[in-house]
Amino acid sequence: MGAGAALRHAGWAIERWLEAEREQLVLWLPVMLAAGIAAWFLLPDSARWLAFLCATGGLGVAGLAVPGIGRAPRAIAIAALAMALGCALVWWRAERVAAPVLARPAIVAFEGEVELVEPLPARDMVRVTLAPRAGAGLPPRVRVNLAESDAPAELGRGAVIRLRARLMPPAPPAVPGAYDFARLAWFAGLGASGKGFAPVALIRPGSAPGTDLRARLSAHIESRVEGSGGGIASALATGDRGAISDEDAEAMQRSGLAHLLSVSGLHVSAVTAAAMLIVLRLLALSPTLALRWRLPLVAAGAGAFAAIGYTLLTGAEVPTVRSCIAALLVLLALSLGREAITLRLVAAGAVAVLLLWPEAAAGPSFQLSFAAVTAIVALHESPRIRGWFARREESLAARLLRHAGSLLLTGMVVELALMPIALFHFHQAGLYGALANIVAIPLTTFVIMPLEAAALLFDTAGAGMPFWWLTARALDLLLWLAHLTAAAPGAMAALPAMPVGAYATMLAGGLWIALWRTRVRWAGALPLAAGLVWALLTPAPDLLVTGDGRHLAIRTRDGGFALLRERAGDYVRSMLGENSGAGDTLDELVSSPDARCSPDLCLVDFRSGERSWRVVATRSSYLVPWKEMMHLCAAADIMVSDRRLPPGCTPRWLALDRTTLATTGGVAISFAAGRVTTVLGGGAHPWINPPTVQPPAASYGSQR
């Protein structure tokens, strides 16, 4: 067979395969949209964004312009156009939300109108989003945390307050791979955040807390159920998680139950189904209505209103909006007599979210929620799985066992689907979530939420206390399960910062398996396994330095990591532990046998292969005598300091002082490979070098 004949044969084989998969092709539309969005985030500047748009747009137009082409070229052309649309959408969105940010930290006295009030009772704080008055020299939107005792009683939306606050520009990632608040703040329109000080003067009262339905409902629930249980009950009803303590929130995260706190498909489905059931049963009591009306359609309409109202009540976050769209599509399909829960429905919800909020594609919330739903639907669309768990005539014990098996298998598949995403974004993932969810999901759906709804209903007559007591006990059981699972040996898998390429390879393999239906789908196992091996074989960095130069974590001879400063806060410890792969086991550098520390300096000898590296770091604000500093600089490979090093300080490799770190941001170093990774890699995304404002010098005390 000649080369031409072989190519024709391969082309026919691809056409036959795509014909067999024609119903699945549309599922790749949101994937291509998300790929274009991801390309904009990964490519560094506008020249490359334009090149990407020209390449994908040109390929798409050229492919569609050629007459008589087969299905494969047409699919490639549509995919290219979808990628171009995704890139253009997120670029337009980033420019549309552009607003100046604070140039540098400052303590400022200003007046502002309250846009949002978020009580955080577990921390004894209130988070307030403000629009400063014109002329203050501040960004158009700032966010401050106030102590509960400092917040005025009539603080509400629309109020005007006067206060002093220490404000900071939105912070970039402290080290490579860490949480990027600057990017999140850019799309949220936040130009500064910080802490407010007493006294806080109320210039004009706004809507009282009691007039805000969401705030009133949250406060009512938390008054009925104390502690974190009340916070979880509030989260289920309104999406407000401020009353959950850090300890309990961490336990929910480590046990794989944190998804119960984010209002998403589980909660919207329960509310929609409950509304439909109640309306259907009540209307069916009337023979006239039952005979003359199509009650299922009326119940579906009630379910749609319930889904929309619940979404608005809980703050309309991305997972909730996605779930609401999905619920509406399910109701529409049921009304038309079509199969309701399909991957096409999931794809339609994803497209809707990406068109409205394209930046969501880069965040963990979007990725986790859609990955979970895609995995569940793809699993249960499999004919073999349907056969295993289909309804049949059997005993109650066999039915319960079958349902438990379905929950366990679904939980395991979801955990496997979510693990790469959790490891990429959070550098850790729970291992026992599938087992915990077998109990937690039915407990939440069929016990806690109905009891809470009954308690709220009976509270209208002053008779809800028995139901609140039962709700509290069920919530205690949920928290006990979370702490038990989180404390189990090996409950968390930790991984340092994962290469983007490894993550993309795993995602591509997983989507290939989930979205195709023929045997070709199993070819996705190859990139999935390759990405996993790539991620696992990527070594953790040997040295992490935060962008302010105050903190570092360095590998010790036993393979662990040690911190420079003993008084590093919980956030710094957690962030460095996650990004180094050490988790919670961070030692103190002063106790390391490889380090020699004084109150002002630490000198560490790190051995990598045949070579020894010397790292010197300052650990106090006191100046070191000039001669001693010059001697240390000459003997060091790397000097780290949160202040400017003297001009004559020239270490053998890197000087990471305030001046250098201002241009690089946080740094991750692998000694053996000689690899230096920085946070600020020269990109031109708008939040990296944003327009800035600064209040007049007379209105603040500068914090330099």
Side-chain angles (χ1 to χ4, degrees):
M1 182 184 295
L7 287 175
R8 285 194 299 272
H9 180 74
W12 292 334
I14 292 173
E15 287 294 326
R16 287 195 300 271
W17 167 58
L18 290 178
E19 177 63 24
E21 296 276 17
R22 63 184 182 277
E23 297 295 328
Q24 305 299 114
L25 291 175
V26 70
L27 303 179
W28 289 92
L29 182 61
V31 177
M32 295 300 107
L33 270 174
I37 294 168
W40 184 84
F41 280 104
L42 293 173
L43 296 173
D45 52 45
S46 57
R48 290 171 177 82
W49 304 335
L50 284 172
F52 180 84
L53 286 173
C54 291
T56 52
L59 175 62
V61 172
L64 294 179
V66 177
I69 61 174
R71 191 184 295 273
R74 192 161 59 248
I76 293 173
I78 294 173
L81 288 175
M83 292 173 70
L85 176 61
C87 182
L89 270 175
V90 71
W91 191 357
W92 170 81
R93 170 78 171 159
E95 296 296 333
R96 184 172 178 268
V97 300
V101 304
L102 193 66
R104 58 185 181 274
I107 295 178
V108 188
F110 67 100
E111 291 183 8
E113 182 174 345
V114 175
E115 293 186 350
L116 181 65
V117 179
E118 301 172 87
L120 303 173
R123 303 180 187 178
D124 297 322
M125 290 193 310
V126 177
R127 180 175 292 161
V128 184
T129 302
L130 297 164
R133 290 288 179 87
L138 291 173
R141 180 179 294 164
V142 302
R143 192 172 72 188
V144 297
N145 291 332
L146 301 174
E148 274 187 331
S149 57
D150 297 337
E154 295 183 298
L155 184 67
R157 186 172 300 178
V160 176
I161 60 174
R162 182 188 300 121
L163 75 161
R164 291 174 67 250
R166 184 178 189 273
L167 298 178
M168 304 277 291
V175 295
Y179 174 64
D180 191 350
F181 178 63
R183 186 182 73 188
L184 180 69
W186 178 264
F187 286 103
L190 285 174
S193 62
K195 181 179 180 181
F197 307 121
V200 179
L202 185 68
I203 306 301
R204 185 189 73 201
S207 60
T211 63
D212 186 326
L213 176 60
R214 185 185 184 193
R216 185 170 72 249
L217 185 57
S218 295
H220 176 77
I221 293 170
E222 290 159 17
S223 69
R224 295 295 190 268
V225 181
E226 297 181 352
S228 292
I232 295 174
S234 181
L236 295 175
T238 68
D240 185 354
R241 290 172 279 180
I244 305 173
S245 70
D246 292 342
E247 180 184 359
D248 290 327
E250 177 71 12
M252 295 289 286
Q253 180 70 42
R254 293 173 65 91
S255 62
L257 304 181
H259 67 95
L260 298 174
L261 306 179
S262 176
V263 177
S264 55
L266 174 68
H267 312 82
V268 175
S269 300
V271 169
T272 305
M276 290 181 63
L277 180 63
I278 292 170
V279 170
L280 189 62
R281 295 300 186 192
L282 289 177
L283 294 181
L285 294 176
S286 168
T288 302
L289 295 179
L291 292 173
R292 294 184 179 181
W293 290 9
R294 294 184 62 186
L295 295 187
L297 281 179
V298 177
F305 278 112
I308 295 171
Y310 185 55
T311 300
L312 296 175
L313 176 65
T314 55
E317 295 182 354
V318 170
T320 320
V321 172
R322 186 268 304 162
S323 303
C324 181
I325 293 171
L328 296 178
L329 291 174
V330 167
L331 294 173
L332 178 62
L334 289 173
S335 302
L336 297 176
R338 303 287 297 274
E339 187 176 0
I341 303 176
T342 66
L343 284 175
R344 286 194 168 204
L345 179 146
V346 180
V351 168
V353 172
L354 291 176
L355 292 178
L356 294 172
W357 302 283
E359 71 277 8
S365 176
F366 176 90
Q367 295 173 21
L368 289 168
S369 60
F370 275 98
V373 175
T374 300
I376 293 170
V377 177
L379 175 69
H380 289 277
E381 280 189 351
S382 167
R384 178 172 297 180
I385 300 300
R386 282 187 173 184
W388 288 353
F389 301 114
R391 290 186 177 183
R392 63 196 69 185
E393 291 294 331
E394 58 187 354
S395 66
L396 177 60
R399 188 180 305 119
L400 291 175
L401 187 61
R402 191 176 300 278
H403 287 324
S406 176
L407 275 175
L408 179 59
L409 179 61
T410 303
M412 291 175 62
V413 170
V414 169
E415 288 296 324
L416 290 173
L418 300 187
M419 188 170 291
I421 303 173
L423 289 173
F424 179 75
H425 288 285
F426 309 119
H427 314 292
Q428 56 184 11
L431 297 180
Y432 305 137
L435 295 173
N437 276 292
I438 290 179
V439 177
I441 290 177
L443 176 65
T444 302
T445 308
F446 301 116
V447 179
I448 295 175
M449 293 184 72
L451 282 174
E452 185 175 352
L456 289 170
L457 177 64
F458 278 88
D459 265 355
T460 59
M465 286 309 298
F467 295 98
W468 284 121
W469 185 87
L470 292 172
T471 303
R473 302 293 74 75
L475 288 165
D476 289 342
L477 177 59
L478 180 65
L479 283 171
W480 173 83
L481 176 64
H483 283 278
L484 178 69
T485 307
M492 296 296 294
L495 196 71
M498 183 189 301
V500 174
Y503 180 55
T505 304
M506 282 191 283
L507 281 185
L511 288 168
W512 191 271
I513 293 172
L515 301 186
W516 295 129
R517 282 293 167 264
T518 60
R519 286 182 295 178
V520 176
R521 69 191 299 186
W522 299 114
L526 183 61
L528 184 62
L532 179 61
V533 171
W534 184 359
L536 292 176
L537 293 182
T538 300
D542 299 311
L543 175 65
L544 289 170
V545 181
T546 59
D548 57 7
R550 285 183 53 80
H551 303 282
L552 67 79
I554 188 168
R555 188 185 300 279
T556 57
R557 65 174 64 179
D558 60 359
F561 276 80
L563 286 174
L564 174 66
R565 298 174 186 260
E566 300 97 319
R567 295 186 179 181
D570 291 340
Y571 171 76
V572 171
R573 287 179 175 274
S574 174
M575 179 269 301
L576 290 176
E578 289 173 3
N579 286 274
S580 65
D584 299 330
T585 57
L586 286 171
D587 300 321
E588 306 296 343
L589 193 55
V590 293
S591 60
S592 172
D594 298 321
R596 288 171 285 165
C597 294
S598 71
D600 303 318
L601 290 165
C602 263
L603 183 151
V604 188
D605 288 316
F606 181 91
R607 189 156 191 85
S608 177
E610 299 299 321
R611 180 171 176 185
S612 180
W613 302 79
R614 175 161 290 182
V615 179
V616 179
T618 62
R619 54 198 307 263
S620 78
S621 58
Y622 293 100
L623 295 178
V624 180
W626 186 86
K627 182 180 291 188
E628 183 180 344
M629 177 62 80
M630 292 303 102
H631 175 73
L632 286 170
C633 288
D637 295 288
I638 299 175
M639 285 289 300
V640 180
S641 179
D642 60 343
R643 56 180 184 265
R644 292 185 182 90
L645 292 172
C649 181
T650 54
R652 290 190 289 259
W653 186 17
L654 292 173
L656 301 176
D657 63 350
R658 179 192 294 184
T659 304
T660 303
L661 292 170
T663 60
T664 65
V667 175
I669 298 174
S670 296
F671 289 113
R675 185 173 62 250
V676 180
T677 307
T678 63
V679 167
L680 305 177
H685 291 92
W687 57 88
I688 295 177
N689 291 300
T692 60
V693 293
Q694 194 69 18
S699 68
Y700 70 92
S702 178
Q703 300 291 301
R704 298 181 184 273

